[in-house]
């Protein structure tokens, strides 16, 4: 990400922190209700949305040195194509559609460059795929860059650090 987190987090009473937290809660609502078009409207045109594969390494090894793959590394074009596909009969991985719930917590907001907000959060995603499969839980930390625009905050970057190295969910057709 282009901006670097610096210093201490903004106080929870700071209006910038409150607007960042509200952004995340409203974003979670859009995803939980499958309003993907509205969710895509929250993305900045230069969005980079990625989730690296976690590597379990011994303490002497920096995990970032051995991390070479991503579960996904997307931009505006690829996200918009995924959203479009959900509206077709060809989104087989989501037929029937998952029942999902995003639980967003531990939100910390930092001042970035040029009015950007750097936001750290934790997300726990509950996903039910009907009555034949056990539900799955995905736990992750996220680091976001939110950019103020005349239309409100927009997500310009999201790095998702999943808390497991072997995913136990059937697929990643969902957004975290």
């Amino acid at each position: 990400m282009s901006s670097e987190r610096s210093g201490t987090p903004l106080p929870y009473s700071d209006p910038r922190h409150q607007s960042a937290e509200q952004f995340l809660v409203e974003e979670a609502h859009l995803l939980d209700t499958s309003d993907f078009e509205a969710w895509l409207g929250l993305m900045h045109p230069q969005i980079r949305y990625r989730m690296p594969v976690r590597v379990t390494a011994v303490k002497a090894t920096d995990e970032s040195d051995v991390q070479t793959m991503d579960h996904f590394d997307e931009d505006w074009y690829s996200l918009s194509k995924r959203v479009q596909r959900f509206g077709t009969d060809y989104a087989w991985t989501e037929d029937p559609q998952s029942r999902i719930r995003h639980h967003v917590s531990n939100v910390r907001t930092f001042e970035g460059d040029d009015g950007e907000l750097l936001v750290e959060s934790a997300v726990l995603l509950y996903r039910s795929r009907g009555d034949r499969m056990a539900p799955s839980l995905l736990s992750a930390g996220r680091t976001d860059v939110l950019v103020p625009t005349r239309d409100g905050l927009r997500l310009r970057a999201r790095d998702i650090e999943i808390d497991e190295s072997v995913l136990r969910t059937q697929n990643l057709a969902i957004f975290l």
Side-chain angles (χ1 to χ4, degrees):
M1 292 188 195
S2 64
S3 295
E4 292 293 320
R5 178 172 66 93
S6 62
T8 58
L10 296 173
Y12 297 138
S13 59
D14 190 298
R16 293 168 296 173
H17 170 79
Q18 292 173 355
S19 64
E21 188 165 16
Q22 182 173 353
F23 177 93
L24 297 180
V25 169
E26 294 303 318
E27 177 200 19
H29 173 74
L30 294 174
L31 292 173
D32 291 348
T33 58
S34 302
D35 193 348
F36 301 119
E37 290 288 338
W39 174 78
L40 192 60
L42 296 178
M43 301 301 114
H44 188 276
Q46 297 171 342
I47 181 69
R48 181 159 187 219
Y49 185 86
R50 63 185 291 267
M51 185 170 87
V53 172
R54 292 295 301 267
V55 177
T56 303
V58 295
K59 289 181 185 178
T61 304
D62 184 1
E63 189 176 307
S64 63
D65 290 340
V66 293
Q67 208 169 42
T68 60
M69 294 176 46
D70 295 307
H71 289 289
F72 49 78
D73 186 350
E74 301 195 73
D75 59 11
W76 173 262
Y77 179 79
S78 62
L79 289 174
S80 66
K81 288 301 175 188
R82 281 181 64 191
V83 166
Q84 284 176 2
R85 188 166 185 254
F86 282 141
T88 72
D89 292 335
Y90 302 105
W92 301 305
T93 57
E94 279 300 299
D95 188 11
Q97 187 172 355
S98 295
R99 293 180 189 109
I100 57 174
R101 182 83 52 212
H102 291 77
H103 299 269
V104 180
S105 65
N106 301 359
V107 178
R108 300 175 64 209
T109 308
F110 300 84
E111 289 185 80
D113 300 332
D114 301 321
E116 293 176 343
L117 297 173
L118 294 127
V119 185
E120 296 174 349
S121 64
V123 63
L124 180 65
L125 182 118
Y126 173 87
R127 181 184 192 192
S128 172
R129 296 277 301 151
D131 56 0
R132 293 192 180 151
M133 299 179 65
S136 57
L137 289 173
L138 290 173
S139 173
R142 300 186 305 193
T143 304
D144 298 336
V145 176
L146 298 178
V147 179
T149 71
R150 67 178 151 208
D151 298 320
L153 292 174
R154 294 296 178 260
L155 181 64
R156 196 188 78 220
R158 171 165 288 161
D159 282 347
I160 303 161
E161 189 172 85
I162 201 81
D163 290 330
E164 55 189 332
S165 48
V166 177
L167 297 181
R168 291 165 180 80
T169 191
Q170 186 179 19
N171 60 57
L172 283 174
I174 52 170
F175 298 108
L176 290 167

